[in-house]
Amino acid sequence: MCAHQPPCPPADSPDHLAARILSAHPEQGWSLLCNGTIVFDDTGELLPDGRVVAVTRPPAMAA
């Protein structure tokens, strides 16, 4: 997928979120990265092979 230099890190590498954004859809809450990963505003991810990465945001503080 990645055609620029230096190439983006692949979806299975630890730094995969450093890939460039190909298509941003802030009104829907997601972006498609150059390595095929879909990143959601809630920090969840969908990898190109169909695996899901759970939301990683910290739990809300009790008021």
Side-chain angles (χ1 to χ4, degrees), residues 4-5 7-8 11 13 18 23 26 28 42 44-45 50-52 55-56:
H4 49 267
Q5 292 297 324
C8 290
S13 72
S23 182
Q28 297 176 350
D42 67 358
E45 302 170 36
R51 288 181 293 147
V52 173
V55 174
T56 58

Side-chain angles (χ1 to χ4, degrees), residues 12-29:
D12 59 354
S13 72
D15 60 345
H16 66 278
L17 294 178
R20 292 185 188 181
I21 295 174
L22 283 183
S23 182
H25 297 276
E27 72 284 357
Q28 297 176 350

